[in-house]
Amino acid sequence: MCFSLFFFFKTSSPLKPPSQMAGQKAEAKKSTNSNNVPLFSSKVTDLDVKLDNEIVYEFGGPLGVVGMMLGFPSLMYYFWICLEHHQGKLIVPAVWSVEGIKSFFWNDIYAAVIDGARPTVYAAKIYMGYIVFSFILASIMPGPVVNGLPIPSLKGKRLPYLCNGLAAWYFTLPFSAFLHVTGIFRLTDIIDNFGHIMTIAIMWGFTLTTLVFIASHIQGTNHRMSGNLFYDFFMGASLNPRVGVVDLKMWAEIRVPWPILFYISVSCALKQYETRGYITAPAAFMVLAHFLYVNACQKGEECIPTSWDMFYEKDGFMLVFWNMAGVPFTYCYASIYLMKFEETTGIAITHSLPYTVGLFVALVSAYYIFDTGNSQKNRFRMEQNGSYIARNAFPQLPYGHIKNPNYIKTAHGNLLLTDGWWGVVRKPHYTADLVMALSWGLITGFGSFLPYFYVCFFLVVLTHRVSRDMERCAKKYGKDWDRYCERVPYIFVPYVF
Ligand code: NDP
């Protein structure tokens, strides 16, 4: 893993042959703005409209999505029981008979859920309290307003997004510390009520999806509907649902899952400190890992309005449920495993110094590529969109903004960046994200699969996302996309894949 990161750093510039660079610079000469990135002023094309309206059954169509809507919550309960009661071991019926399976479901699953994950008023106060709190902050905190991409279904209109995530995050951090220290709300209550809170989150995921779905029908904002109720519920009806100044999709993606994930890890670390008097390196690692992720989302929020999720994905179960419940309550398994293992065995999971340091280095290095990779492309797109703003949110890393970038100009009008990490592979931010995800598992050792669930799941998600995205881009950019793929031939790792 460290080798591949090293490789990444070493190959960024040798991969650009001088002849290619000359060609790219020649294209760049046509540039118009101060950073040599032309503003993309053309209106939405007929092809944009066609692609935006195209209905393709994904995820196995209606049957597949029904399976997912039932399967996700069931899996979340199953994994939680394995972590809570079985030190992360994946349990199965003791006897494979009808009686054995019945007993497994009643005694091991149902009883555990009723005991530790039934909805409680206190859990609802914690979870819904945070939801309301974050929504209020999203409505009132100051921040720059950034325009999204032209929306084909709105005749090329560009929606404004209030990007106040950073102010909300900087308010939330000291406020939560205040609540904890004063005892008004002990952050350890999160992990003490984990199962109950997860159930409230699952219920809220379904409720919010339903509310947005119904509102879209009432307001007549349905878009790209397949006509199949289950499929449309899963994919969503409305493209850009809003309540006041709050864009529900952006709020759900940025403000809810990652801060909750971070606070779950903080809660585990604090619990360890309160019961044992120390915080182990792996527990601190998880707090750092989740801090970096949530902080990256807030500090780069102004880059989100030009992302695919904002201009293409609808606000259905897939986005809503996953952000409200799936991300925070499944991506946290490493933190919970570390805590539960110590709680049940009395032994804290720790590793040798080189292994631990190696993982910290891998995490921070991967974060660096993730952060700068996302900002390189997003800032480039914002420049093209005319919505670029310089912000000094901590940490601003070197190489996050490419001056006079190389790119391919497409017949469509859009530009494809072929510089920085984007000259090395086509999805540098995915590779870095996956390395971080892997490190979250590795820091727990090899005692359970569950801390690795995230990286496995994420690999499937990103592979699927890549294939969807490439298919769409190939249709959108035609020969220019082939040209781009020739210039940047590898997707994830140079010379490998
Ligand atoms: P991308 O950032 O890959 O965006 C894809 C779009 O970017 C394409 O459709 C295309 O849009 C444009 N694009 C692709 N290549 C180029 C290029 N070379 N130059 C300019 N534009 C280009 O997608 P995501 O939104 O999936 O990922 C954003 C981040 O979010 C990633 O770091 C990812 O890892 C992370 N993520 C995390 C998840 C999690 O659960 N932890 C889940 C999903 C994402 P156009 O058609 O407009 O040209």
Side-chain angles (χ1 to χ4, degrees), residues 12-29 404-407 418-420 487:
S12 63
S13 68
L15 269 185
K16 275 188 286 181
S19 58
Q20 226 176 55
M21 284 181 68
Q24 290 169 5
K25 288 293 179 199
E27 280 182 336
K29 273 187 194 146
N404 300 324
N406 297 315
Y407 53 80
T418 55
D419 211 336
R487 192 171 290 179

PDB file of all heavy atoms in Angstrom, residues 12-29 404-407 418-420 487:
ATOM      1  N   SER A  12       3.779  11.166 -11.167  1.00  0.00           N
ATOM      2  CA  SER A  12       2.859  12.194 -11.624  1.00  0.00           C
ATOM      3  C   SER A  12       3.388  12.979 -12.820  1.00  0.00           C
ATOM      4  O   SER A  12       2.659  13.248 -13.744  1.00  0.00           O
ATOM      5  CB  SER A  12       2.516  13.155 -10.493  1.00  0.00           C
ATOM      6  OG  SER A  12       3.647  13.804 -10.082  1.00  0.00           O
ATOM      7  N   SER A  13       4.663  13.331 -12.822  1.00  0.00           N
ATOM      8  CA  SER A  13       5.075  14.096 -13.981  1.00  0.00           C
ATOM      9  C   SER A  13       5.680  13.261 -15.110  1.00  0.00           C
ATOM     10  O   SER A  13       5.397  13.540 -16.270  1.00  0.00           O
ATOM     11  CB  SER A  13       5.968  15.253 -13.570  1.00  0.00           C
ATOM     12  OG  SER A  13       7.151  14.749 -13.120  1.00  0.00           O
ATOM     13  N   PRO A  14       6.436  12.163 -14.801  1.00  0.00           N
ATOM     14  CA  PRO A  14       6.974  11.404 -15.928  1.00  0.00           C
ATOM     15  C   PRO A  14       5.875  10.864 -16.839  1.00  0.00           C
ATOM     16  O   PRO A  14       6.141  10.536 -17.979  1.00  0.00           O
ATOM     17  CB  PRO A  14       7.716  10.249 -15.266  1.00  0.00           C
ATOM     18  CG  PRO A  14       8.011  10.716 -13.907  1.00  0.00           C
ATOM     19  CD  PRO A  14       6.937  11.665 -13.537  1.00  0.00           C
ATOM     20  N   LEU A  15       4.651  10.756 -16.368  1.00  0.00           N
ATOM     21  CA  LEU A  15       3.602  10.221 -17.229  1.00  0.00           C
ATOM     22  C   LEU A  15       3.191  11.184 -18.330  1.00  0.00           C
ATOM     23  O   LEU A  15       2.384  10.859 -19.171  1.00  0.00           O
ATOM     24  CB  LEU A  15       2.365   9.875 -16.395  1.00  0.00           C
ATOM     25  CG  LEU A  15       2.303   8.458 -15.863  1.00  0.00           C
ATOM     26  CD1 LEU A  15       0.999   8.223 -15.166  1.00  0.00           C
ATOM     27  CD2 LEU A  15       2.486   7.451 -16.986  1.00  0.00           C
ATOM     28  N   LYS A  16       3.683  12.408 -18.284  1.00  0.00           N
ATOM     29  CA  LYS A  16       3.305  13.374 -19.324  1.00  0.00           C
ATOM     30  C   LYS A  16       4.450  13.523 -20.300  1.00  0.00           C
ATOM     31  O   LYS A  16       5.396  14.266 -20.061  1.00  0.00           O
ATOM     32  CB  LYS A  16       3.022  14.737 -18.681  1.00  0.00           C
ATOM     33  CG  LYS A  16       1.616  14.867 -18.172  1.00  0.00           C
ATOM     34  CD  LYS A  16       1.339  16.263 -17.724  1.00  0.00           C
ATOM     35  CE  LYS A  16       2.011  16.582 -16.426  1.00  0.00           C
ATOM     36  NZ  LYS A  16       1.760  17.920 -15.928  1.00  0.00           N
ATOM     37  N   PRO A  17       4.415  12.821 -21.417  1.00  0.00           N
ATOM     38  CA  PRO A  17       5.500  12.980 -22.391  1.00  0.00           C
ATOM     39  C   PRO A  17       5.537  14.405 -22.899  1.00  0.00           C
ATOM     40  O   PRO A  17       4.481  15.035 -23.046  1.00  0.00           O
ATOM     41  CB  PRO A  17       5.112  12.017 -23.524  1.00  0.00           C
ATOM     42  CG  PRO A  17       4.008  11.184 -23.003  1.00  0.00           C
ATOM     43  CD  PRO A  17       3.390  11.906 -21.879  1.00  0.00           C
ATOM     44  N   PRO A  18       6.735  14.911 -23.223  1.00  0.00           N
ATOM     45  CA  PRO A  18       6.861  16.307 -23.650  1.00  0.00           C
ATOM     46  C   PRO A  18       5.973  16.638 -24.853  1.00  0.00           C
ATOM     47  O   PRO A  18       5.375  17.694 -24.914  1.00  0.00           O
ATOM     48  CB  PRO A  18       8.337  16.431 -24.020  1.00  0.00           C
ATOM     49  CG  PRO A  18       9.024  15.308 -23.339  1.00  0.00           C
ATOM     50  CD  PRO A  18       8.040  14.248 -23.122  1.00  0.00           C
ATOM     51  N   SER A  19       5.840  15.672 -25.797  1.00  0.00           N
ATOM     52  CA  SER A  19       5.053  15.978 -26.994  1.00  0.00           C
ATOM     53  C   SER A  19       3.602  16.216 -26.608  1.00  0.00           C
ATOM     54  O   SER A  19       2.946  17.127 -27.104  1.00  0.00           O
ATOM     55  CB  SER A  19       5.135  14.819 -27.967  1.00  0.00           C
ATOM     56  OG  SER A  19       4.661  13.646 -27.337  1.00  0.00           O
ATOM     57  N   GLN A  20       3.128  15.377 -25.671  1.00  0.00           N
ATOM     58  CA  GLN A  20       1.745  15.521 -25.226  1.00  0.00           C
ATOM     59  C   GLN A  20       1.541  16.866 -24.548  1.00  0.00           C
ATOM     60  O   GLN A  20       0.582  17.558 -24.774  1.00  0.00           O
ATOM     61  CB  GLN A  20       1.472  14.424 -24.205  1.00  0.00           C
ATOM     62  CG  GLN A  20       0.181  13.726 -24.440  1.00  0.00           C
ATOM     63  CD  GLN A  20       0.027  12.592 -23.466  1.00  0.00           C
ATOM     64  OE1 GLN A  20       0.108  12.812 -22.262  1.00  0.00           O
ATOM     65  NE2 GLN A  20      -0.207  11.405 -23.960  1.00  0.00           N
ATOM     66  N   MET A  21       2.535  17.192 -23.719  1.00  0.00           N
ATOM     67  CA  MET A  21       2.422  18.453 -22.984  1.00  0.00           C
ATOM     68  C   MET A  21       2.349  19.627 -23.948  1.00  0.00           C
ATOM     69  O   MET A  21       1.570  20.544 -23.753  1.00  0.00           O
ATOM     70  CB  MET A  21       3.611  18.636 -22.044  1.00  0.00           C
ATOM     71  CG  MET A  21       3.480  17.772 -20.816  1.00  0.00           C
ATOM     72  SD  MET A  21       4.848  18.000 -19.730  1.00  0.00           S
ATOM     73  CE  MET A  21       4.607  19.644 -19.177  1.00  0.00           C
ATOM     74  N   ALA A  22       3.128  19.548 -25.002  1.00  0.00           N
ATOM     75  CA  ALA A  22       3.127  20.648 -25.960  1.00  0.00           C
ATOM     76  C   ALA A  22       1.736  20.802 -26.565  1.00  0.00           C
ATOM     77  O   ALA A  22       1.210  21.911 -26.683  1.00  0.00           O
ATOM     78  CB  ALA A  22       4.143  20.372 -27.050  1.00  0.00           C
ATOM     79  N   GLY A  23       1.124  19.641 -26.909  1.00  0.00           N
ATOM     80  CA  GLY A  23      -0.215  19.677 -27.486  1.00  0.00           C
ATOM     81  C   GLY A  23      -1.211  20.277 -26.527  1.00  0.00           C
ATOM     82  O   GLY A  23      -2.054  21.101 -26.903  1.00  0.00           O
ATOM     83  N   GLN A  24      -1.078  19.892 -25.261  1.00  0.00           N
ATOM     84  CA  GLN A  24      -2.021  20.387 -24.266  1.00  0.00           C
ATOM     85  C   GLN A  24      -1.872  21.890 -24.072  1.00  0.00           C
ATOM     86  O   GLN A  24      -2.841  22.619 -23.965  1.00  0.00           O
ATOM     87  CB  GLN A  24      -1.788  19.667 -22.941  1.00  0.00           C
ATOM     88  CG  GLN A  24      -2.211  18.218 -23.015  1.00  0.00           C
ATOM     89  CD  GLN A  24      -1.733  17.442 -21.812  1.00  0.00           C
ATOM     90  OE1 GLN A  24      -1.159  18.018 -20.890  1.00  0.00           O
ATOM     91  NE2 GLN A  24      -1.953  16.165 -21.794  1.00  0.00           N
ATOM     92  N   LYS A  25      -0.593  22.323 -24.060  1.00  0.00           N
ATOM     93  CA  LYS A  25      -0.367  23.754 -23.863  1.00  0.00           C
ATOM     94  C   LYS A  25      -0.923  24.544 -25.052  1.00  0.00           C
ATOM     95  O   LYS A  25      -1.440  25.637 -24.891  1.00  0.00           O
ATOM     96  CB  LYS A  25       1.130  24.044 -23.716  1.00  0.00           C
ATOM     97  CG  LYS A  25       1.731  23.571 -22.400  1.00  0.00           C
ATOM     98  CD  LYS A  25       1.205  24.344 -21.211  1.00  0.00           C
ATOM     99  CE  LYS A  25       1.800  23.850 -19.908  1.00  0.00           C
ATOM    100  NZ  LYS A  25       1.053  24.222 -18.742  1.00  0.00           N
ATOM    101  N   ALA A  26      -0.807  23.902 -26.244  1.00  0.00           N
ATOM    102  CA  ALA A  26      -1.335  24.587 -27.423  1.00  0.00           C
ATOM    103  C   ALA A  26      -2.825  24.823 -27.241  1.00  0.00           C
ATOM    104  O   ALA A  26      -3.347  25.888 -27.553  1.00  0.00           O
ATOM    105  CB  ALA A  26      -1.077  23.753 -28.661  1.00  0.00           C
ATOM    106  N   GLU A  27      -3.507  23.775 -26.692  1.00  0.00           N
ATOM    107  CA  GLU A  27      -4.938  23.945 -26.453  1.00  0.00           C
ATOM    108  C   GLU A  27      -5.182  25.030 -25.415  1.00  0.00           C
ATOM    109  O   GLU A  27      -6.102  25.823 -25.525  1.00  0.00           O
ATOM    110  CB  GLU A  27      -5.532  22.626 -25.979  1.00  0.00           C
ATOM    111  CG  GLU A  27      -5.804  21.666 -27.093  1.00  0.00           C
ATOM    112  CD  GLU A  27      -6.439  20.383 -26.584  1.00  0.00           C
ATOM    113  OE1 GLU A  27      -6.250  20.064 -25.401  1.00  0.00           O
ATOM    114  OE2 GLU A  27      -7.113  19.724 -27.383  1.00  0.00           O
ATOM    115  N   ALA A  28      -4.277  25.046 -24.427  1.00  0.00           N
ATOM    116  CA  ALA A  28      -4.462  25.997 -23.341  1.00  0.00           C
ATOM    117  C   ALA A  28      -4.332  27.440 -23.795  1.00  0.00           C
ATOM    118  O   ALA A  28      -4.846  28.343 -23.169  1.00  0.00           O
ATOM    119  CB  ALA A  28      -3.460  25.709 -22.229  1.00  0.00           C
ATOM    120  N   LYS A  29      -3.644  27.649 -24.949  1.00  0.00           N
ATOM    121  CA  LYS A  29      -3.438  29.012 -25.420  1.00  0.00           C
ATOM    122  C   LYS A  29      -4.760  29.700 -25.760  1.00  0.00           C
ATOM    123  O   LYS A  29      -4.877  30.896 -25.756  1.00  0.00           O
ATOM    124  CB  LYS A  29      -2.525  28.981 -26.640  1.00  0.00           C
ATOM    125  CG  LYS A  29      -1.059  29.028 -26.246  1.00  0.00           C
ATOM    126  CD  LYS A  29      -0.169  29.165 -27.456  1.00  0.00           C
ATOM    127  CE  LYS A  29       1.264  28.866 -27.065  1.00  0.00           C
ATOM    128  NZ  LYS A  29       1.982  28.215 -28.140  1.00  0.00           N
ATOM    129  N   ASN A 404      -2.452  27.302 -14.630  1.00  0.00           N
ATOM    130  CA  ASN A 404      -2.366  27.044 -16.082  1.00  0.00           C
ATOM    131  C   ASN A 404      -2.468  25.555 -16.417  1.00  0.00           C
ATOM    132  O   ASN A 404      -1.541  24.966 -16.973  1.00  0.00           O
ATOM    133  CB  ASN A 404      -1.045  27.578 -16.654  1.00  0.00           C
ATOM    134  CG  ASN A 404      -0.927  29.056 -16.432  1.00  0.00           C
ATOM    135  OD1 ASN A 404      -1.929  29.770 -16.505  1.00  0.00           O
ATOM    136  ND2 ASN A 404       0.269  29.514 -16.130  1.00  0.00           N
ATOM    137  N   PRO A 405      -3.563  24.951 -16.044  1.00  0.00           N
ATOM    138  CA  PRO A 405      -3.641  23.488 -16.193  1.00  0.00           C
ATOM    139  C   PRO A 405      -3.686  23.025 -17.643  1.00  0.00           C
ATOM    140  O   PRO A 405      -4.135  23.754 -18.532  1.00  0.00           O
ATOM    141  CB  PRO A 405      -4.965  23.148 -15.503  1.00  0.00           C
ATOM    142  CG  PRO A 405      -5.782  24.387 -15.606  1.00  0.00           C
ATOM    143  CD  PRO A 405      -4.811  25.535 -15.539  1.00  0.00           C
ATOM    144  N   ASN A 406      -3.270  21.789 -17.842  1.00  0.00           N
ATOM    145  CA  ASN A 406      -3.435  21.127 -19.141  1.00  0.00           C
ATOM    146  C   ASN A 406      -4.786  20.436 -19.149  1.00  0.00           C
ATOM    147  O   ASN A 406      -5.211  19.886 -18.133  1.00  0.00           O
ATOM    148  CB  ASN A 406      -2.349  20.072 -19.340  1.00  0.00           C
ATOM    149  CG  ASN A 406      -0.982  20.689 -19.366  1.00  0.00           C
ATOM    150  OD1 ASN A 406      -0.784  21.713 -20.016  1.00  0.00           O
ATOM    151  ND2 ASN A 406      -0.052  20.089 -18.634  1.00  0.00           N
ATOM    152  N   TYR A 407      -5.409  20.428 -20.299  1.00  0.00           N
ATOM    153  CA  TYR A 407      -6.736  19.812 -20.384  1.00  0.00           C
ATOM    154  C   TYR A 407      -7.037  19.479 -21.830  1.00  0.00           C
ATOM    155  O   TYR A 407      -6.332  19.893 -22.749  1.00  0.00           O
ATOM    156  CB  TYR A 407      -7.812  20.756 -19.842  1.00  0.00           C
ATOM    157  CG  TYR A 407      -7.775  22.123 -20.484  1.00  0.00           C
ATOM    158  CD1 TYR A 407      -8.337  22.347 -21.742  1.00  0.00           C
ATOM    159  CD2 TYR A 407      -7.123  23.177 -19.840  1.00  0.00           C
ATOM    160  CE1 TYR A 407      -8.265  23.584 -22.341  1.00  0.00           C
ATOM    161  CE2 TYR A 407      -7.044  24.426 -20.440  1.00  0.00           C
ATOM    162  CZ  TYR A 407      -7.620  24.620 -21.686  1.00  0.00           C
ATOM    163  OH  TYR A 407      -7.534  25.838 -22.291  1.00  0.00           O
ATOM    164  N   THR A 418      -6.307  17.119 -17.541  1.00  0.00           N
ATOM    165  CA  THR A 418      -5.327  16.035 -17.722  1.00  0.00           C
ATOM    166  C   THR A 418      -4.017  16.421 -17.019  1.00  0.00           C
ATOM    167  O   THR A 418      -2.930  16.061 -17.474  1.00  0.00           O
ATOM    168  CB  THR A 418      -5.047  15.785 -19.220  1.00  0.00           C
ATOM    169  OG1 THR A 418      -4.643  17.031 -19.805  1.00  0.00           O
ATOM    170  CG2 THR A 418      -6.259  15.248 -19.942  1.00  0.00           C
ATOM    171  N   ASP A 419      -4.147  17.156 -15.954  1.00  0.00           N
ATOM    172  CA  ASP A 419      -2.965  17.666 -15.261  1.00  0.00           C
ATOM    173  C   ASP A 419      -3.017  17.246 -13.792  1.00  0.00           C
ATOM    174  O   ASP A 419      -4.054  16.788 -13.310  1.00  0.00           O
ATOM    175  CB  ASP A 419      -2.946  19.195 -15.377  1.00  0.00           C
ATOM    176  CG  ASP A 419      -1.524  19.730 -15.399  1.00  0.00           C
ATOM    177  OD1 ASP A 419      -0.633  19.045 -14.884  1.00  0.00           O
ATOM    178  OD2 ASP A 419      -1.318  20.830 -15.935  1.00  0.00           O
ATOM    179  N   GLY A 420      -1.928  17.462 -13.069  1.00  0.00           N
ATOM    180  CA  GLY A 420      -1.893  17.101 -11.651  1.00  0.00           C
ATOM    181  C   GLY A 420      -2.127  15.599 -11.505  1.00  0.00           C
ATOM    182  O   GLY A 420      -1.702  14.793 -12.331  1.00  0.00           O
ATOM    183  N   ARG A 487      -5.036   9.528 -23.513  1.00  0.00           N
ATOM    184  CA  ARG A 487      -4.046  10.378 -22.834  1.00  0.00           C
ATOM    185  C   ARG A 487      -3.862   9.958 -21.374  1.00  0.00           C
ATOM    186  O   ARG A 487      -2.766  10.016 -20.823  1.00  0.00           O
ATOM    187  CB  ARG A 487      -4.484  11.838 -22.899  1.00  0.00           C
ATOM    188  CG  ARG A 487      -3.380  12.770 -22.481  1.00  0.00           C
ATOM    189  CD  ARG A 487      -3.712  14.200 -22.738  1.00  0.00           C
ATOM    190  NE  ARG A 487      -3.725  14.530 -24.147  1.00  0.00           N
ATOM    191  CZ  ARG A 487      -4.012  15.743 -24.608  1.00  0.00           C
ATOM    192  NH1 ARG A 487      -4.296  16.712 -23.776  1.00  0.00           N
ATOM    193  NH2 ARG A 487      -4.016  15.977 -25.894  1.00  0.00           N
TER     194      ARG A 487
END
